[in-house]
Amino acid sequence: MPDLLLELFSEEIPARMQRKAADDLRKLVTDALVERGLVYEGAKAFATPRRLALHIAGLPVRGSAIREERKGPRVGAPDAAVQGFLKAAGLDSLDQATIVSDPKKGDSYIAVIEKPGQETVAAIAEIVPAVIRSFPWPKSMRWGQASAAGASLRWVRPLHSILCTFGAETEEPEVVPFEVDGIVSGNTTHGHRFHAPGAITVRRFDDYVASLERAKVVLDADRRKAIILADARTLAFAQGLELVEDEGLLEEVAGLVEWPVVLMGAFEERFLEIPGEAIRATIRANQKCFVLRDPATGHLANRFLLTANLMASDGGAAIVAGNERVVRARLSDAAYFFATDKGNLPDLDTLKESAEKLGLDLAKPLDQRMAKLDRLGVVFHAKLGTQGERVQRIAALARELAPIVGADPELAERAAKLAKADLPTEMVGEFPELQGLMGRKYAELQGEHASVCAAIEEHYKPLGPSDRVPTDPVSVAVALADKLDTLVGFWAIDEKPTGSKDPYALRRAALGVIRLVIENELKVSILTTPIPSVVLLNEQRRKRGFTQELEAVVGALPQGISADVVGSYLRDFAERSRRKSPFEGLPQYVQAVAGVGWFLAERMTVMMREQGHRYDLLDAVFSLHFQEDLLAVKRRVAALGRFLETEDGKSLLAGYKRAANILKAEEKKDGEGAFAGAADLGLIAQAGLIEEKGLAVALAQATPKAEAAVAAEDYEGAMAALADLRPAVDAFFDKVTVNDPDPALRANRLRLLNQLRAATRAVADFGRIAG
């Protein structure tokens, strides 16, 4: 079957846009073909710095005929409806329509529309120009004299030519004829800008790839990456060194060259005194080069690898020399920044007030930078104060969290006070991606405790679902404090995520809190833990004159707010979780404190669903046990899931559902809460039914066992206690009539069912479980 070959040849396409552009080209063209009934066997798109290419294999010469039945108005309908139907169906009169009968709706008109299949060449000639004119580039431009007209073609860079051929393997392919803003489709392309700039005539995909290869163009980006990686490893190995691999840089470099040639350069060994991460950052960011390390020591070597786009006549000596000159200049700047950051600031006298406020030692360079950050009054957020005020909140919260996570409170507070100290340093100012890491280096140089140094770097982690979670207790305390302060602050000023918008990365912060707690197996209350941040935030806001938004919080918190208080509100409003504003109408302090807990619960639900846990089980646990720590919730959900997979679990759930349905119906008659309290054992004995007595005895034994097991966080034990109810529940419903004619017996048996419902609620709200 025939194949389609399409190439859009232009000036250099930015590397970051190439892969998505290739995918967009493939999707847009193939979707349009399928819409016209032109099904294909396979499609693959390619990108180089100067071209987008698409190969679609196995297209038919002509599309299939289309037969469509369009339903019209009923017979005898008003003339306006009939005329609209005829126009839409393309009919001249009702004689061309068919009448169908329906016993219920009566007779109506049907138009049978048959369209012959469109020739594939004609379809391509319509599709490609439309795709080019509407291509979704993140940024595009107009060029030349035509750019004065607003309707002229826009492309990422000036588009020079379009290659478009279609034909079977055994035939001479034809050029698909069309024109886009003066650019006429053809069968020619161009090779490497320097090695083979002339026009190249191609027929189909196979000789297109081969012709480009001869013209020093590697079409496939993945193959260019493989060439660069293999050559880089070989060059490094030849020098007894090891490549520091960088997938992001490799992807970018592969998008900068059409004919990759890897070369090695060097710089003076004196620059190795700079932290390796800074060397790598400056060489990567400015020169797009890879760094090498000595496998024996693990330290960087004074060598780097660059990727040229041509085979130079001098073997690349001039290219290497030019890159070495630039790298030397960049590393000289980095060396200056590093030396400056290790020295004292010139304005120490002006920093004494900030140092005293934060408990800093001005004899130490990193403390000086933190004092400077506070004195400069760098704003974190207009409503949340300065970075200095934020550090005070993080330090206070880290100290509170330290005993919970097993950290030394003094070390946690010290690490928190220095966590943001590298922000005003020269090195981080030049390379923002080194924040935290440079703070650790400077802390090590001034003799800080190893845990403090680690926490300064690690408190930003985890940055995503696959990032490493800190395990050092001091790092965990500071990381939790940093993220909780962010969540509390933005929630308090009503800057919550909405839909797809999350400008302050609060979802990422929440996921970080959850992973820190669960993966380190910490018992941290999601309701009471953030309270110190709320208290200090409000004290700071009052000092600066902000008294409106959180005035109620300040009044409420000193009287003591507990997880139970907040949880009692949230249980009453559990159904609100499915609304946009679940806290509307609740007291202000509940909104400020519990909002963060509710948000964490939502994010944990999303995370656990992605891990395979059932949503209904999460809902069943969170609806009753919202105030628990996250680790307990996770364990409870896991145990509940395992229990419900057993026959005992399935049977008990069925029994619970039956009991709940009966109670729901009867409470509508007698009123909610009409069957509260324990069943009367005397009435049960009087009735003389063994099954009724058996359920009462089973509940009396299982309920305290389940409650004790839950209190000890033995959720498997709690499930085992509930499983003991199964035989008694089955026998009760098999032999006992709940709605007995005797009102006293009926009420007593309903109280017994209410006890069953209450017993299961020690674990979860079984009413929210599907099944």
Side-chain angles (χ1 to χ4, degrees):
M1 296 179 76
D3 293 357
L4 168 67
L5 172 61
L6 172 65
E7 182 202 74
L8 305 174
F9 183 76
S10 67
E11 294 295 329
E12 275 73 5
I13 304 168
R16 68 183 183 279
M17 299 183 187
Q18 290 173 20
R19 197 169 287 272
K20 184 177 185 304
D23 289 341
D24 287 341
L25 179 64
R26 177 189 55 78
K27 187 176 189 307
L28 291 169
V29 173
T30 54
D31 285 357
L33 288 169
V34 171
E35 283 179 8
R36 288 167 168 78
L38 298 167
V39 183
Y40 58 94
E41 293 178 358
K44 188 171 182 180
F46 305 88
T48 79
R50 302 178 70 205
R51 71 200 77 225
L52 293 179
L54 174 65
H55 174 232
I56 302 179
L59 279 167
V61 176
R62 177 186 289 274
S64 303
I66 299 172
R67 186 179 189 277
E68 177 188 354
E69 289 188 359
R70 184 168 296 180
K71 189 174 181 181
R74 56 185 173 77
V75 175
D79 185 61
V82 172
Q83 294 302 318
F85 165 65
L86 293 175
K87 183 177 180 181
L91 304 180
D92 296 325
S93 68
L94 287 175
D95 296 336
Q96 296 174 299
T98 303
I99 297 177
V100 294
S101 298
D102 188 310
K104 294 182 179 179
K105 298 181 180 179
D107 296 344
S108 60
Y109 294 108
I110 292 287
V112 179
I113 305 169
E114 294 185 352
K115 296 180 181 179
Q118 186 182 20
E119 287 192 3
T120 303
V121 170
I124 294 169
E126 294 174 1
I127 291 168
V128 175
V131 168
I132 293 173
R133 290 192 177 95
S134 61
F135 202 81
W137 292 109
K139 289 185 178 180
S140 59
M141 61 178 288
R142 297 193 296 266
W143 62 92
Q145 293 182 350
S147 63
S152 64
L153 175 66
R154 298 186 69 93
W155 201 246
V156 62
R157 295 292 185 271
L159 184 63
H160 291 315
S161 66
I162 302 171
L163 181 154
C164 191
T165 65
F166 178 77
E169 206 174 303
T170 56
E171 302 172 358
E172 184 69 23
E174 63 177 304
V175 173
V176 180
F178 59 86
E179 175 265 338
V180 181
D181 278 32
I183 304 172
V184 180
S185 60
N187 61 351
T188 59
T189 184
H190 298 267
H192 193 279
R193 183 184 289 276
F194 303 112
H195 291 307
I200 303 170
T201 301
V202 297
R203 299 171 66 248
R204 56 178 51 84
F205 182 69
D206 290 343
D207 72 289
Y208 169 72
V209 175
S211 297
L212 287 180
E213 195 87 16
R214 288 191 295 272
K216 298 294 185 290
V217 175
V218 178
L219 181 65
D220 190 343
D222 289 331
R223 185 162 166 256
R224 294 197 301 274
K225 287 173 64 175
I227 291 170
I228 294 168
L229 186 58
D231 289 354
R233 286 172 175 169
T234 301
L235 275 176
F237 181 76
Q239 296 293 320
L241 300 174
E242 186 178 72
L243 175 69
V244 178
E245 297 189 12
D246 186 330
E247 177 61 28
L249 179 59
L250 181 61
E251 176 77 17
E252 184 177 8
V253 170
L256 296 174
V257 297
E258 290 193 319
W259 190 257
V261 178
V262 181
L263 304 169
M264 180 177 288
F267 54 85
E268 289 83 348
E269 288 193 7
R270 62 185 175 88
F271 290 125
L272 293 177
E273 296 177 3
I274 305 169
E277 294 82 3
I279 294 174
R280 182 179 178 185
T282 187
I283 291 179
R284 183 190 196 280
N286 295 299
Q287 293 305 108
K288 312 301 179 190
C289 295
F290 297 90
V291 295
L292 304 174
R293 66 179 161 227
D294 184 343
T297 64
H299 298 146
L300 290 189
N302 64 325
R303 298 285 190 276
F304 63 91
L305 297 176
L306 62 101
T307 307
N309 191 32
L310 54 82
M311 298 175 63
S313 58
D314 64 353
I319 297 172
V320 170
N323 276 269
E324 287 179 341
R325 185 168 58 251
V326 177
V327 165
R328 191 178 300 115
R330 297 292 186 181
L331 291 179
S332 294
D333 290 342
Y336 169 77
F337 295 147
F338 187 51
T340 302
D341 289 339
K342 291 189 294 181
N344 291 326
L345 291 173
D347 53 351
L348 287 181
D349 289 341
T350 65
L351 304 178
K352 290 181 179 178
E353 183 179 347
S354 293
E356 290 176 4
K357 179 171 64 176
L358 294 171
L360 301 170
D361 182 358
L362 288 182
K364 298 181 176 180
L366 195 58
D367 291 58
Q368 296 173 20
R369 270 68 186 178
M370 185 59 239
K372 180 179 179 180
L373 183 65
D374 179 69
R375 186 182 67 81
L376 291 174
V378 177
V379 175
F380 171 66
H381 186 281
K383 293 183 179 180
L384 296 176
T386 65
Q387 285 283 10
E389 290 175 321
R390 182 164 184 256
V391 166
Q392 284 183 285
R393 298 196 299 271
I394 294 172
L397 186 52
R399 189 177 185 89
E400 293 280 338
L401 284 166
I404 299 173
V405 303
D408 184 314
E410 295 293 335
L411 292 180
E413 184 177 13
R414 175 66 176 166
K417 288 179 178 179
L418 296 179
K420 310 297 181 183
D422 62 350
L423 295 182
T425 62
E426 299 287 342
M427 193 69 86
V428 173
E430 182 70 14
F431 305 108
E433 66 270 25
L434 296 181
Q435 65 181 10
L437 190 147
M438 291 310 303
R440 177 176 190 160
K441 295 290 183 185
Y442 296 139
E444 289 172 346
L445 288 173
Q446 70 180 33
E448 296 293 337
H449 190 282
S451 292
V452 171
C453 298
I456 292 172
E457 179 185 3
E458 295 179 339
H459 82 279
Y460 291 106
K461 295 180 177 295
L463 292 173
S466 60
D467 195 18
R468 180 179 65 84
V469 173
T471 56
D472 184 290
V474 175
S475 297
V476 172
V478 181
L480 278 174
D482 180 53
K483 292 167 179 59
L484 285 172
D485 179 77
T486 298
L487 290 166
V488 166
F490 283 107
W491 202 277
I493 62 173
D494 202 27
E495 290 282 358
K496 307 168 209 140
T498 56
S500 61
K501 295 181 179 179
D502 186 10
Y504 302 110
L506 300 184
R507 292 189 180 99
R508 185 176 71 185
L511 181 61
V513 170
I514 293 165
R515 290 190 62 205
L516 283 162
V517 169
I518 290 177
E519 294 184 30
N520 285 292
E521 298 190 342
L522 302 174
K523 290 185 60 61
V524 178
S525 168
I526 59 177
L527 293 180
T528 55
T529 299
I531 290 174
S533 277
V534 178
V535 174
L536 187 52
L537 172 62
N538 280 279
E539 290 175 0
Q540 292 170 347
R541 288 173 61 81
R542 289 181 71 119
K543 289 177 182 177
R544 290 186 290 113
F546 288 93
T547 57
Q548 294 181 356
E549 290 96 335
L550 302 178
E551 184 72 31
V553 180
V554 181
L557 287 175
Q559 297 175 26
I561 177 170
S562 68
D564 290 335
V565 173
V566 179
S568 66
Y569 278 105
L570 296 176
R571 282 194 295 274
D572 293 339
F573 289 88
E575 293 301 324
R576 294 173 180 258
S577 63
R578 295 171 178 81
R579 300 189 202 167
K580 242 182 177 182
S581 303
F583 300 109
E584 184 179 346
L586 294 180
Q588 179 68 21
Y589 73 88
V590 178
Q591 293 189 39
V593 178
V596 173
W598 193 268
F599 186 57
L600 288 170
E602 285 184 325
R603 300 323 300 166
M604 184 169 173
T605 299
V606 171
M607 186 188 81
M608 291 187 67
R609 286 186 68 185
E610 290 173 350
Q611 294 173 351
H613 293 278
R614 287 167 46 182
Y615 176 79
D616 57 334
L617 303 189
L618 289 159
D619 189 31
V621 171
F622 268 125
S623 64
L624 291 181
H625 305 284
F626 177 81
Q627 70 270 35
E628 282 194 359
D629 62 271
L630 298 175
L631 183 62
V633 168
K634 185 180 189 329
R635 289 172 174 172
R636 189 188 289 259
V637 170
L640 181 59
R642 288 190 292 271
F643 174 62
L644 292 175
E645 289 175 357
T646 66
E647 287 303 315
D648 284 343
K650 294 173 184 176
S651 180
L652 181 63
L653 178 62
Y656 171 88
K657 294 282 187 183
R658 187 172 177 182
N661 289 335
I662 294 172
L663 283 168
K664 183 178 179 181
E666 298 309 308
E667 284 175 341
K668 284 182 179 179
K669 302 173 188 176
D670 296 42
E672 190 172 345
F675 310 113
D680 187 334
L681 296 179
L683 279 175
I684 293 174
Q686 181 182 332
L689 292 176
I690 297 173
E691 294 79 10
E692 185 176 6
K693 182 179 179 182
L695 179 58
V697 172
L699 283 169
Q701 293 174 346
T703 301
K705 284 184 184 178
E707 290 174 349
V710 167
E713 296 189 7
D714 176 13
Y715 301 114
E716 301 290 351
M719 301 302 165
L722 291 181
D724 292 341
L725 291 172
R726 177 196 171 183
V729 171
D730 290 346
F732 178 86
F733 282 119
D734 188 42
K735 298 293 184 179
V736 178
T737 301
V738 176
N739 285 317
D740 193 272
D742 184 336
L745 288 178
R746 167 184 170 271
N748 204 45
R749 287 168 182 171
L750 288 170
R751 280 193 290 272
L752 198 58
L753 294 185
N754 190 56
Q755 285 180 250
L756 172 63
R757 181 169 63 181
T760 60
R761 290 170 77 88
V763 173
D765 184 352
F766 274 51
R768 293 175 179 265
I769 300 174

